[in-house]
Amino acid sequence: MSFSNKLFIFLFIILSTTKIVAQDFVLDQITVSANRVFTPVNETGAIVDVIDEEIIQNKKATFLTQILSTTPGISVSQNGPVGSTTEIKIRGYGSKYIKVYYDGIDIADVTGVEVKPYIVGIPSNNLKKIEILQGSQSALYGSEAVGGVLFLETKDLKEKNDSSINIQYGSYNTKSLSISTGYQIEGTKLGLRFSNTESDGYSALETSKEGAENDGYFNREISIKTLTDFNNGASFSLNLLNTFNKGDYDGFMGDAENYYYEQLNQGLGAKLSIKGKNSDQKFGLNFYKTDRTQFSPFASTEYYGNRGSIDYQILRNFNFGRGIFGLAAETNTVEINKTDKVVNNYASFISLLTKPINNATLDTTIRLDDHSVFGQKITGRITGTYQPNKDLVIKVGSGTGFRAPSLDEMYGQYNVNDPSNFRADSNGNFTVLYGNPLLKPENSTSMDAGFSYRINKFNAVLSGSIFNIKIDNAISWDPEDPTDWYDGKYNQLGNKSERKGYDLRLNTSINSNSKFGISYANTTDENGNSVSNIPKQVINLSLFSKVTDKLSINGELQSVSELTGVKSDGSGVVPLKDYNLLNAKLSYLLNGNSKIYLNGENLLDETYETSSGYGTAKRSFYLGYERQF
């Protein structure tokens, strides 16, 4: 059945329920990501999930990835213990098709084969809100925003002097410490955050082998967050981020010692906001730098790169709605063979957010990017909502996206010593060029629809979405002459891919102290088959209950089926074992300012894989203490 037929049936089912609902639809969540300005979730046709602070605190996970892994439409795969290569997928497409903003900082690592957000080790303890904007959003956010965009916002200073400490210890000799404090001086708020995590880990490969070498991990994050209100409609925010990661890994030769990496990332995000009578203006500055070294018993390899950008945006109110106009300039720099390679991009966009009738919205955006290598690219997005009554919201949207080739894909090279090769000089040295500066951007088209329906009788909300994303002009490795190890480069061979799927969710309050949720997500390729490292079917059950005034429990059960993975040698795809993960958390309030908690993960002690050939944690427990002062 075609996507258009599924969409028609999907909307027909929802419209047929409109007569049985009667009371007010309440949805007070606000999103900034969907339109780049404050917008009620039920007034944007974009499919956006908002994970608020209450949900984050109830889960009490150590890392961001643990929270995302149980969100419908999102999957996470990891090549071993924490600190290993981690991929996040939205709507069936991986990290190279996703942008992530951390307190407004674009945390893209430009030094890899592809540009990917660096999400390894991001602590969840200080997160206030997570927004997941799904579908192709390049019209708003440019390159890489194909599968979706992720926004992470940390806690703000609540009082004049507000501090907290969180200490945790658990399995695999895992120790974590998180401290945050804030100060307020007249119109300026200052927040300081420090977190430190260490773990002995376990072997990424060959976990069942007796005496396998553990792959440990160390993470340290320091951040500064400031906000100054000038009391005249203007405000200025400055966010600084410094993260250091060191992790062991197992190479292609299997379980091994002395393979590790060190990575330092430093970011800056600044924003000046000016509110006027009929318009709001924002000036932004963004910078993120990566300094990474890969160590092995044979050699060490260093990678340096950064992404910087400036942007301007103005919002104007009109009698027909709101209009947004924006300008942006971005520079990517990577050191390749001791030479800086640079690409620049300039962009402009315009959005119109309108209400053609009282119970409907229509948002349109068009964007022009001008890239210093491949030239101009136009993308667009149109979304709409319809609210036939006060309990039901229907959403429909479509957008285009693109992924610009990375600097490595365009200019990648390495030096070789091989006297037998015809290209070698008298000393046997020559340079292998595998980059291709003639590459064009990959293109995507995205269509989706969704709904949210309040069932007042049961104090519940039923919601769901259906989507289809297609990518063409994909960039892939072309070995050219497979008999020549040094002959090959990145090319566009006419490759196309498609992802389609749907999700359904039901969230209800059993009583004033208990909440229950269930969700089902299905993701496939164009033929209805599983996509590598992405479960075809996922069911999530969650329960939160405040047992007494001091004791609360949070439990999550995830059932994953029809998962496949790529063989470690890349020779093909193999089916992976279905699995069920049961996680739970007990929290006890000692007094008004402190509590202790116990997290249990993989309580069923499942042996499973999220990436073929790589191990996962066994049954684990983590004891924590949290205090505010």
Side-chain angles (χ1 to χ4, degrees):
M1 183 183 296
S2 68
F3 179 79
S4 58
N5 288 337
K6 289 182 179 179
L7 178 59
F8 176 79
I9 294 173
F10 184 81
L11 293 177
F12 176 79
I13 292 173
I14 302 308
L15 288 170
S16 68
T17 68
T18 60
K19 294 183 179 181
I20 66 172
V21 291
Q23 301 179 22
D24 287 349
F25 180 85
V26 180
L27 186 57
D28 56 0
Q29 287 181 319
I30 299 295
T31 173
V32 178
S33 64
N35 291 315
R36 295 180 66 108
V37 294
F38 289 103
T39 306
V41 168
N42 64 325
E43 292 185 10
T44 172
I47 305 298
V48 56
D49 287 312
V50 179
I51 303 175
D52 60 25
E53 187 174 357
E54 180 183 6
I55 296 175
I56 295 171
Q57 291 303 307
N58 288 343
K59 288 176 178 287
K60 210 62 187 177
T62 305
F63 299 106
L64 165 72
T65 51
Q66 295 169 298
I67 295 176
L68 296 177
S69 63
T70 56
T71 302
I74 306 263
S75 61
V76 177
S77 62
Q78 202 163 284
N79 292 356
V82 60
S84 303
T85 301
T86 303
E87 279 277 323
I88 177 176
K89 292 105 172 176
I90 301 179
R91 290 189 168 178
Y93 283 110
S95 296
K96 66 180 179 180
Y97 297 112
I98 297 169
K99 291 182 83 84
V100 177
Y101 292 90
Y102 191 11
D103 273 339
I105 302 172
D106 179 2
I107 56 172
D109 181 354
V110 298
T111 65
V113 174
E114 302 107 354
V115 176
K116 294 182 179 181
Y118 194 73
I119 61 171
V120 174
I122 292 180
S124 66
N125 184 63
N126 289 301
L127 290 176
K128 171 186 174 182
K129 185 170 71 169
I130 302 169
E131 288 193 26
I132 305 164
L133 180 60
Q134 304 195 35
S136 294
Q137 308 291 338
S138 289
L140 290 175
Y141 296 103
S143 176
E144 297 125 45
V146 171
V149 189
L150 188 64
F151 300 82
L152 313 176
E153 182 181 344
T154 58
K155 298 175 186 177
D156 296 319
L157 176 66
K158 296 179 180 179
E159 299 177 359
K160 187 173 183 179
N161 294 299
D162 184 23
S163 302
S164 66
I165 183 170
N166 189 294
I167 303 171
Q168 182 176 284
Y169 179 79
S171 300
Y172 304 108
N173 194 28
T174 301
K175 298 165 284 191
S176 67
L177 169 67
S178 177
I179 302 173
S180 65
T181 187
Y183 301 92
Q184 185 170 346
I185 306 173
E186 296 182 351
T188 298
K189 294 180 179 180
L190 171 65
L192 304 174
R193 208 170 66 239
F194 169 85
S195 68
N196 191 97
T197 301
E198 299 179 54
S199 177
D200 290 347
Y202 49 86
S203 178
L205 292 171
E206 303 180 37
T207 54
S208 61
K209 180 180 177 181
E210 185 176 352
E213 171 259 351
N214 290 335
D215 293 313
Y217 176 64
F218 173 84
N219 166 273
R220 179 172 293 157
E221 178 177 300
I222 302 171
S223 70
I224 301 174
K225 187 176 182 179
T226 73
L227 176 63
T228 301
D229 188 346
F230 297 107
N231 296 318
N232 59 358
S235 64
F236 176 75
S237 64
L238 175 66
N239 298 324
L240 301 173
L241 178 67
N242 183 294
T243 63
F244 176 76
N245 291 268
K246 179 179 179 180
D248 299 329
Y249 67 95
D250 287 332
F252 64 91
M253 299 178 67
D255 180 79
E257 297 182 358
N258 299 319
Y259 283 81
Y260 67 98
Y261 71 90
E262 292 181 351
Q263 180 154 338
L264 174 66
N265 293 103
Q266 296 173 307
L268 177 151
K271 182 173 66 176
L272 174 64
S273 300
I274 303 174
K275 292 184 178 293
K277 184 176 181 180
N278 294 312
S279 65
D280 295 339
Q281 299 181 74
K282 294 180 181 178
F283 301 83
L285 172 67
N286 202 305
F287 182 79
Y288 190 70
K289 181 179 73 172
T290 298
D291 183 348
R292 172 167 52 95
T293 305
Q294 299 279 149
F295 296 92
S296 76
F298 313 105
S300 63
T301 307
E302 298 179 339
Y303 303 85
Y304 303 97
N306 62 73
R307 168 176 285 183
S309 67
I310 56 174
D311 63 86
Y312 168 76
Q313 176 180 303
I314 182 170
L315 166 68
R316 291 293 302 270
N317 296 311
F318 301 98
N319 55 7
F320 61 82
R322 297 182 291 176
I324 307 169
F325 175 72
L327 296 170
E330 179 183 278
T331 296
N332 292 331
T333 304
V334 173
E335 183 181 290
I336 297 176
N337 199 22
K338 299 183 179 181
T339 301
D340 283 348
K341 297 293 184 180
V342 181
V343 294
N344 300 311
N345 188 77
Y346 305 95
S348 61
F349 77 91
I350 185 169
S351 294
L352 296 177
L353 315 179
T354 65
K355 284 190 174 184
I357 56 178
N358 287 335
N359 59 347
T361 66
L362 180 66
D363 304 336
T364 57
T365 302
I366 188 168
R367 177 186 178 108
L368 173 65
D369 284 87
D370 191 358
H371 194 274
S372 60
V373 176
F374 62 74
Q376 295 185 343
K377 179 67 181 175
I378 297 176
T379 51
R381 191 191 76 162
I382 181 168
T383 67
T385 67
Y386 176 58
Q387 194 167 342
N389 56 59
K390 295 182 180 181
D391 288 311
L392 178 66
V393 173
I394 301 168
K395 301 186 175 191
V396 178
S398 180
T400 59
F402 74 97
R403 184 184 79 87
S406 70
L407 282 159
D408 188 74
E409 289 170 324
M410 289 190 293
Y411 302 113
Q413 56 182 274
Y414 60 91
N415 297 320
V416 177
N417 181 273
D418 185 356
S420 66
N421 192 281
F422 70 93
R423 286 171 286 187
D425 61 18
S426 58
N427 296 317
N429 299 314
F430 66 99
T431 300
V432 176
L433 304 176
Y434 58 84
N436 182 358
L438 300 180
L439 293 173
K440 300 295 183 181
E442 299 183 18
N443 304 312
S444 73
T445 57
S446 173
M447 297 177 62
D448 53 42
F451 75 96
S452 187
Y453 166 42
R454 180 167 292 280
I455 310 172
N456 294 286
K457 183 177 180 180
F458 300 102
N459 195 24
V461 174
L462 175 67
S463 60
S465 66
I466 183 172
F467 71 88
N468 180 277
I469 302 180
K470 297 179 182 179
I471 292 180
D472 61 20
N473 217 22
I475 299 170
S476 58
W477 176 254
D478 181 5
E480 295 187 341
D481 182 0
T483 63
D484 187 348
W485 284 90
Y486 309 118
D487 188 16
K489 65 180 180 181
Y490 288 102
N491 266 321
Q492 287 163 307
L493 306 174
N495 294 342
K496 298 182 179 182
S497 64
E498 183 176 346
R499 304 287 185 265
K500 55 185 180 180
Y502 59 92
D503 66 81
L504 288 171
R505 318 174 194 195
L506 178 67
N507 293 288
T508 181
S509 295
I510 302 173
N511 54 48
S512 60
N513 293 322
S514 300
K515 298 178 181 180
F516 172 77
I518 182 171
S519 68
Y520 171 81
N522 179 285
T523 304
T524 69
D525 64 13
E526 61 272 22
N527 299 315
N529 298 321
S530 298
V531 181
S532 295
N533 294 339
I534 299 170
K536 184 176 182 180
Q537 300 184 90
V538 181
I539 299 174
N540 288 304
L541 300 174
S542 64
L543 174 66
F544 172 79
S545 180
K546 192 174 182 181
V547 182
T548 68
D549 289 341
K550 293 189 174 184
L551 179 65
S552 63
I553 182 171
N554 186 79
E556 293 180 325
L557 175 63
Q558 182 179 69
S559 179
V560 172
S561 59
E562 298 187 66
L563 175 64
T564 62
V566 178
K567 292 181 179 180
S568 57
D569 60 3
S571 61
V573 175
V574 294
L576 303 182
K577 176 187 174 184
D578 295 350
Y579 60 87
N580 301 292
L581 287 183
L582 176 62
N583 301 326
K585 172 198 168 187
L586 287 172
S587 180
Y588 185 78
L589 189 65
L590 297 173
N591 52 52
N593 296 321
S594 61
K595 62 182 176 181
I596 57 173
Y597 60 89
L598 176 66
N599 285 354
E601 298 177 2
N602 191 12
L603 293 176
L604 301 177
D605 205 22
E606 288 261 15
T607 300
Y608 67 102
E609 297 172 311
T610 60
S611 185
S612 179
Y614 293 94
T616 51
K618 298 182 181 297
R619 184 186 293 122
S620 308
F621 295 95
Y622 302 90
L623 180 65
Y625 170 78
E626 183 176 19
R627 177 177 173 82
Q628 293 183 335
F629 51 92

